[in-house]
Amino acid sequence: DAKTTQPPSMDCAEGRAANLPCNHSTISGNEYVYWYRQIHSQGPQYIIHGLKNNETNEMASLIITEDRKSSTLILPHATLRDTAVYYCIVRSYGGATNKLIFGTGTLLAVQP
Amino acid sequence: GAVVSQHPSWVICKSGTSVKIECRSLDFQATTMFWYRQFPKQSLMLMATSNEGSKATYEQGVEKDKFLINHASLTLSTLTVTSAHPEDSSFYICSASPPQGADTQYFGPGTRLTVL
């Protein structure tokens, strides 16, 4: 699976949009971009995933560049409860047997 | 949504004893589950893939005789840390995918193991 690069930490003011970048320059054509987050001392939580089109759900939006070498996760109105480590993972699509390999992630600190 | 549970949520044991951690998919069947380990201030490290009815597949560097995995049913996988030592103290997390949403993994809440 392709590797990803994320900034180690970011700050965001409460109520503002949080934009978390991820570089995945070696992504291959059949690999999706997944985002998970982990609040302290809890299991990771799925946020969103996409292939090449922008995606949006109730939690966040995912913007993938046209060349697919980078993406941005957007939390439109960050709250204190969004403070967590955010992981960007690229993974081949298809099947419950496909494992997720976590990198170091970005620690997002939402400030009051 | 899909729910994965773990039991116990935390455990303290003496060095040399064995500890069993359970991972259950509560509202779906999972032929495959995954076990991760996470040390403080580090990322999750995949330990093994648990396959229902067959042997687990371990990642490189993970001792299969020390971390015994049993996936006896479609809703339960267990991880047994045998002859635990203080360096095995960690946060152990499992995950699984429901058949109808196989491209999304759901994680359990984790088990905090402390070996004295």
Side-chain angles (χ1 to χ4, degrees), chain A residues 32 34 36 38 41-46 49 87 91 93-105, chain B residues 31-32 34 36 38 42-44 46 49 51 59 91 93 97-98 102-110 112:
Chain A
Y32 281 62
Y34 287 80
Y36 282 78
Q38 186 179 27
S41 293
Q42 297 183 23
Q45 176 189 23
Y46 166 79
H49 75 280
Y87 296 99
R91 170 187 183 232
Y93 178 77
T97 58
N98 286 357
K99 54 192 179 184
L100 288 170
I101 303 299
F102 286 78
T104 53
Chain B
T31 56
T32 302
F34 300 91
Y36 296 80
Q38 186 175 33
Q42 294 186 22
S43 186
L44 284 79
L46 180 66
T49 303
N51 304 299
E59 295 298 303
F91 194 48
I93 308 168
S97 294
D103 54 329
T104 302
Q105 281 191 28
Y106 294 89
F107 287 79
R112 176 78 56 193

Side-chain angles (χ1 to χ4, degrees), chain B residues 6-86:
Chain B
Q6 286 184 237
H7 177 80
S9 55
W10 59 270
V11 56
I12 301 172
C13 70
K14 293 182 179 180
S15 186
T17 61
S18 294
V19 175
K20 181 185 287 187
I21 302 170
E22 294 183 347
C23 176
R24 293 183 185 272
S25 54
L26 297 186
D27 50 1
F28 65 95
Q29 294 183 334
T31 56
T32 302
M33 292 182 174
F34 300 91
W35 285 98
Y36 296 80
R37 179 169 56 179
Q38 186 175 33
F39 293 109
K41 298 190 177 184
Q42 294 186 22
S43 186
L44 284 79
M45 185 193 78
L46 180 66
M47 299 176 67
T49 303
S50 173
N51 304 299
E52 188 269 335
S54 65
K55 291 183 179 180
T57 304
Y58 291 82
E59 295 298 303
Q60 190 172 10
V62 178
E63 300 175 60
K64 62 180 181 181
D65 295 330
K66 179 168 185 62
F67 299 100
L68 301 180
I69 292 173
N70 184 277
H71 195 151
S73 78
L74 288 172
T75 59
L76 173 65
S77 174
T78 60
L79 169 69
T80 301
V81 183
T82 63
S83 186
H85 289 93

Side-chain angles (χ1 to χ4, degrees), chain A residues 4-11 19-23 35 71 85-88 104-108:
Chain A
T4 62
T5 304
Q6 298 177 253
S9 64
M10 293 181 64
D11 287 346
N19 297 281
L20 293 95
C22 179
N23 285 321
W35 283 85
S71 60
V85 178
Y86 287 77
Y87 296 99
C88 168
T104 53
T106 296
L107 172 59
L108 175 67

